Amino acid sequence: MYSRIAFHRMHRSTRFRISSYLQNRVGARRIIVLACALIASLSSVPFPSHADKSPSAQQTILHLKIDSEIEPILATYLDEGIDEAARRNASLILITMDTPGGLSSSMENIVQHILNSKVPVAVYVSPTGSRAASAGFYILLSADIAAMAPGTHTGAASPVMIVGGYAMAIDETMRKKINNDALAFLRSYADKRNRNPVLAATAITDAKAFTEREALDGKMIDVVASSEDDLVRQLNGREITRFDGTKVTLALANPQRTDFELSPRQKFLSRIVAPDMFFFLLIVGVLGLYTEFTHPGMIAPGVAGGICLVLALYAMQILPVNIAGIFLILLALAMFILEAKFTSHGVLAAGGIVSMLLGALFLIRSPYTAGGVSLGTAIAVTLPFAALTMLLMRLVLRSRKWKQVTGREEMIGAQGVVIEPVGNGPDSPEGMIRIHGELWRATSTQPVAEGKSVRVLRIDGLKLYVEPIESPAAAMQPQQV
């Protein structure tokens, strides 16, 4: 009986464990199913992604500025700004411009980056009274959107050879060559930008300039806007055609505007690569090293000259430097040195000044647009440089005539008094003299008695070669015949 009861209890316990196991499996399956359903439902919910938090979702406008002459550092700044806009996935690049022109190589670099930009570029000539002259005209027409403020103008983009701020006369064949090259460069992108290539060409062939209304009526620009806010309002919802032919609709309902400034390094370098500053650094560097070489031990001129010369060499790698200008400056330096050494009655000095002026004016090449050392800066630097160079060389030449004041050579020409007779025949040619409070062995080709004065002619080891000094009274006595 007890065995039946134990079997019954064991059977009930086994059934309970099996049912609990089955219930746990069913519960686990239900949990898995519910979890899968929850994951599926969550995956369909549009969570805000990283891209939605990017500046593109906020309709970012990156603002760049052209407010001076177009030069290599400014071109680098614009290139970096365009690349930064692409990294930020900006909606628009807005370049405000007020420039008289600049170097052709820098202008071409900027135009190429605008044409290849992944972000639409708007160039806006602003504020009122600004201009996009010369190189600025090419940049304005290369943009996706060309805009101008009231009271601005553009054009006057004829290629010129600028030397010292003044246009040089060139022969007709060279003028045609440069003009045709500039026209082809402008046409290469003006047609695709839907500009008026015929009217735009007159800015090159006839040096025409256009007000904002004339440019708009002539279909060279797209918009006339009174302010940046007005420009953004007019561009919002506007469909544009990119350079590669794709169409883009600008969404600028509530944009976030961000300024892209020159870095401190670029601000410093932009001063160095200015043609006038480059010429100044070059001349100061040469003058500092020349001063150190002619007057060793001054240290400060050598340090300053070395720094200036290194900065000038850096700018030389960026600017389109004409090697003929460098040679003319070196020739001028040689003439200034020769003028101090030889008597040329000012001919070498005048030739050096003319050579340095020409070297300064020819130093920077810019075949399409203005850019180079100004005539005023060339004169202001050349004249002091000429005067200082000749003065330093005269001091060097004069110092060579000075008597030695230290060392054995200092005794040459010194006077002493005979202590023991000198030059008394072949048996005793040597005697003793006192000079500078010291006793020296001395010899002479003439006999000199004790107490007489002698002058040192040369030194051989510890022996002095002397000659007697004739007293003024003896020299004035008449000779007997």
Side-chain angles (χ1 to χ4, degrees), residues 207-218:
K208 289 191 65 176
F210 310 93
T211 64
E212 82 284 352
R213 184 54 55 184
E214 292 170 344
L216 181 64
D217 295 340

Side-chain angles (χ1 to χ4, degrees), residues 137-138 141 179 182-206 208 210 215 217-221:
F137 179 73
Y138 295 86
L141 268 60
N179 280 347
L183 286 170
F185 178 68
L186 184 64
R187 287 197 308 269
S188 65
Y189 58 83
D191 288 335
K192 289 190 175 182
R193 292 300 196 195
N194 293 322
R195 313 288 184 224
N196 186 343
V198 177
L199 185 60
T202 61
I204 298 175
T205 57
D206 301 331
K208 289 191 65 176
F210 310 93
D217 295 340
K219 297 182 178 180
M220 288 190 298
I221 64 172

Side-chain angles (χ1 to χ4, degrees), residues 411-417 433-436 453-456 469:
M411 298 186 67
I412 304 298
Q415 297 181 8
V417 178
I433 68 172
R434 184 187 300 277
I435 183 170
H436 293 172
S453 299
V454 291
R455 180 185 296 110
V456 178
I469 299 177

Side-chain angles (χ1 to χ4, degrees), residues 3 35 70 84 125 245 254 423 458:
S3 60
I70 296 169
E84 179 65 19
V125 184
N254 188 23
R458 63 188 179 92

